[in-house]
Amino acid sequence: LLIFTDLDGTLLDIHTYDWQPAASWLERLQDEQIPVILCSSKTAAEIDDIQQELGLAGLPFIAENGAVIQPDVRWEPATRVVGRLAHDDISHALAQIRQHASFKFTSFDDVDEGVIAEWTGLNRVRSQLARRHEASATLIWRDSDEQLARFEEALAAQGLKIVQGARFWHVLDARCGKDVAVNWLVEQYRLHEGLEPITLGLGDGPNDAPLLDSVNVAVVVKGINRHGITLKDDSPARVYHSQRPGPAGWREGLDHFLS
Ligand code: 2M8
Ligand code: MG
Ligand code: MG
């Protein structure tokens, strides 16, 4: 069994970033050596810290919505896989697109740590880590849905796509994604560990749909996003929808499938 989980609003409380309700399950999974693979919009710099805190250091993780993948540290090679469009290229493309059409958005590069701390409720240190993007860019969309559709077209013309997290939007290489990253890691488990793993995924936001579509069984954790999640196969045998948000919903999902 492999567990792929989103962080904000799923394993972590969306406001406080607390995971206590999930702690006993995390301990049990660690005892049983079931990998918990973090799969987030967050940067690798942020996830490095969070992995330590959760006792998951050394395991693979997926950062920046799949634009950055960390293999298990014991695998050869264990080098990070980073999307071919680097953060600076994406920022440059965003600046150009904004010049041509007057889209209204504010990216993490437009502001300082203080503002990111205000937006996210993260402390200053974590806010600094949140802007250490390697292969994506994070922004607040301040324009209409119609403009968003035009923005998506402009991005596609540059080989980019945009995905929606909880509070923010994330722009990355169109060839990358949480689904692509999950499939790649499952293949690495086959190659390096000789496993044919069963996969369980947990997520709360629209950007988690590709993740939840790529796993055998899925938990949709109750989220704050008004758009919610639409899955290809939402049958009750495959998908559990939690009653509670965040880590309490995460625990509920594992109780449902693994108890
Ligand atoms: C952003 O990610 C969340 C998760 O879905 C969002 O889009 O709302 C990222 O900038 C991440 O790096 C940051 O830690 C998080 C903080 O809430 O926000
Ligand atoms: Mg989330
Ligand atoms: Mg996320």
Side-chain angles (χ1 to χ4, degrees), residues 6-8 10 39-42 65 165-166 170 178 204 207-208:
D6 172 52
L7 286 171
D8 294 329
T10 302
C39 182
S40 171
S41 304
K42 289 186 189 291
N65 285 293
H170 308 274
K178 287 194 179 191
D204 73 311
N207 61 331
D208 295 316

Side-chain angles (χ1 to χ4, degrees), residues 132 169 200 225:
R132 298 246 298 260
W169 292 82
L200 185 156
N225 199 293

Side-chain angles (χ1 to χ4, degrees), residues 10 21-22 24-25 200 202 218-222 240-259:
T10 302
S24 58
W25 259 118
L200 185 156
L202 304 100
V219 178
V220 176
V221 173
K222 188 178 176 187
Y240 175 77
H241 292 259
S242 81
Q243 302 290 310
R244 280 161 296 182
W250 196 91
R251 179 175 66 193
E252 240 183 88
L254 290 206
D255 287 345
H256 176 81
F257 281 117
L258 303 183
S259 280

